[in-house]
Amino acid sequence: MALETVADYVAFVRELLQDEKDTPYRYSNTSIVRALSIAIPEAKKLRPDLFIGVTTPTFTVSDATVVPIDEMYRLPLAYFCVGMMQLRDDEEVQDQRAAAFLSMATAKLTTVS
Amino acid sequence: MAAADITRLINNARDRLPGAIEQAMQRELFNVMDEFFRGSNVWNEDIEMEIPGQDPTNTVYPLIPSTPALVDKLLWVYQLNPNDLMARGSPMGASMSVPGEMVLALQPSSNVPIRVTVALTVDDPVLRNGYVTFPAWVLAKYRDCILDGLLGKMMSQPGKPYTNTQLSVFHMRKFKQGYVAARVEWTRNNTYRQQAWVFPQGFSRGSQKGRSRWGGPA
């Protein structure tokens, strides 16, 4: 599954979060999509060149809307979303894991890693 | 889709710029070509026009290139030779304080056909695919120099996977050497072993550092 649309990102993030069974989901689609909307300006702050000629999008639903970012930099957005989910004050969440995903997102945007 | 020569340039740059995206390289390529043309003067165009004899002093004559380009420098103005035996007629004094607006030093009393030679540099709009437009022969002849400029400018961007200050300085130095060499070639019309005239040194009085200061145009 390639990371192309908002729904692709949500599905991939759920994989990393082990939250694929809708009984119901631990993390709602709305939360993940909101994290994706936050990830875009954060990425733009670090790498403005990735958004040349692109209007910064805001996503509201998990659908087939294309996320406008170069294919080399799709994984950092997903990592950022996972990190944001893990930042919640849940009993099963580890702060270190959240910090690790957010750091990986930054590192993948700015370094060859 | 870009032309084969531009594609080769971008692919060569991409090999050395991990994580660089095409749009960023396109923008820097515009800056590189602008610096290259301003520094080398190699992109010239002859603009022919007729100066009416009754125009008042300080009349502004617009210089409009035939392709999307910015007039960078007014190189020279010559009258067109009526009998066509010589390439050029008499030179005419002219200035261009505002790029693209020529003013003659002396207005002719009768109609005079002239040829204005200008040095051009790149300008918007770029092509639909995002690439800057300039003559293809420039990229063919100065490919290495342009690649150095592109690498140097890309590597100087902060906070990118391909940021490399040391290599940026190295490539920018090579780029500058390249366009300075291009300017020298341009002054010699790209002709092998055509050199600027210098006064025969056997007739020179004193050293070159002394008072005689003999020497032709560089």
Side-chain angles (χ1 to χ4, degrees):
Chain A
M1 179 194 62
L3 290 174
E4 182 91 33
T5 65
V6 177
D8 293 337
Y9 277 89
V10 170
F12 181 62
V13 168
R14 287 197 183 288
E15 257 183 69
L16 296 177
L17 291 169
Q18 296 200 53
D19 185 25
E20 297 175 86
K21 288 188 179 175
D22 187 3
T23 57
Y25 287 130
R26 196 183 320 135
Y27 303 99
S28 68
N29 276 358
T30 309
S31 292
I32 299 173
V33 170
R34 187 187 301 127
L36 186 59
S37 292
I38 296 169
I40 296 284
E42 286 294 310
K44 189 175 182 180
K45 181 175 70 183
L46 293 170
R47 292 293 304 273
D49 56 313
L50 299 178
F51 299 92
I52 295 170
V54 175
T55 307
T56 310
T58 302
F59 308 109
T60 51
V61 289
S62 173
D63 59 7
T65 306
V66 173
V67 180
I69 191 164
D70 191 274
E71 58 195 10
M72 289 186 288
Y73 296 98
R74 290 173 182 175
L75 194 54
L77 294 188
Y79 281 176
F80 183 88
C81 293
V82 174
M84 289 294 282
M85 294 301 103
Q86 302 265 283
L87 276 179
R88 284 186 186 176
D89 189 17
D90 287 347
E91 58 189 18
E92 76 277 8
V93 162
Q94 299 173 346
D95 287 346
Q96 284 180 332
R97 188 169 152 83
F101 271 102
L102 292 173
S103 298
M104 279 198 296
T106 304
K108 282 203 165 294
L109 281 168
T110 56
T111 60
V112 186
S113 59
Chain B
M1 181 158 175
D5 50 357
I6 283 279
T7 303
R8 174 176 290 279
L9 176 79
I10 295 298
N11 284 340
N12 276 332
R14 193 175 279 129
D15 291 344
R16 296 166 173 82
L17 300 168
I21 64 167
E22 193 161 346
Q23 290 90 332
M25 287 194 275
Q26 287 173 342
R27 294 220 298 190
E28 287 293 22
L29 182 61
F30 186 100
N31 301 335
V32 168
M33 296 316 301
D34 189 37
E35 187 173 341
F36 177 82
F37 285 123
R38 287 178 195 275
S40 68
N41 299 333
V42 298
W43 187 6
N44 299 162
E45 182 170 325
D46 290 338
I47 300 171
E48 294 186 5
M49 62 174 72
E50 180 142 335
I51 303 295
Q54 303 303 319
D55 280 350
T57 308
N58 292 330
T59 300
V60 172
Y61 299 99
L63 302 174
I64 302 167
S66 60
T67 52
L70 185 76
V71 176
D72 180 40
K73 296 181 191 78
L74 173 63
L75 296 175
W76 44 75
V77 182
Y78 281 92
Q79 292 183 24
L80 285 177
N81 206 324
N83 57 17
D84 242 6
L85 291 175
M86 293 171 63
R88 291 170 176 170
S90 305
M92 294 183 74
S95 62
M96 190 185 71
S97 55
V98 177
E101 295 184 2
M102 181 184 70
V103 175
L104 293 176
L106 195 64
Q107 292 296 141
S109 55
S110 59
N111 290 10
V112 175
I114 63 170
R115 180 181 292 135
V116 183
T117 305
V118 290
L120 303 176
T121 185
V122 293
D123 195 13
D124 288 316
V126 297
L127 295 173
R128 185 176 293 176
N129 60 15
Y131 284 104
V132 60
T133 52
F134 56 90
W137 67 266
V138 176
L139 183 53
K141 187 167 172 20
Y142 301 108
R143 184 178 291 120
D144 282 350
C145 171
I146 292 166
L147 178 61
D148 277 320
L150 183 57
L151 293 175
K153 284 191 184 289
M154 289 292 287
M155 288 173 175
S156 72
Q157 294 180 357
K160 304 290 191 301
Y162 43 85
T163 302
N164 190 324
T165 313
Q166 276 185 309
L167 275 180
S168 171
V169 172
F170 168 75
H171 284 295
M172 287 309 290
R173 190 175 296 148
K174 282 185 69 182
F175 173 55
K176 187 164 187 182
Q177 287 169 352
Y179 73 67
V180 168
R183 185 171 63 215
V184 173
E185 285 186 331
W186 169 76
T187 59
R188 296 173 182 179
N189 288 323
N190 294 312
T191 307
Y192 180 60
R193 300 188 81 175
Q194 177 177 325
Q195 59 185 16
W197 182 89
V198 292
F199 195 86
Q201 293 303 297
F203 296 93
S204 174
R205 293 189 302 168
S207 73
Q208 289 186 334
K209 292 179 182 174
R211 289 166 296 177
S212 62
R213 296 194 184 280
W214 278 106

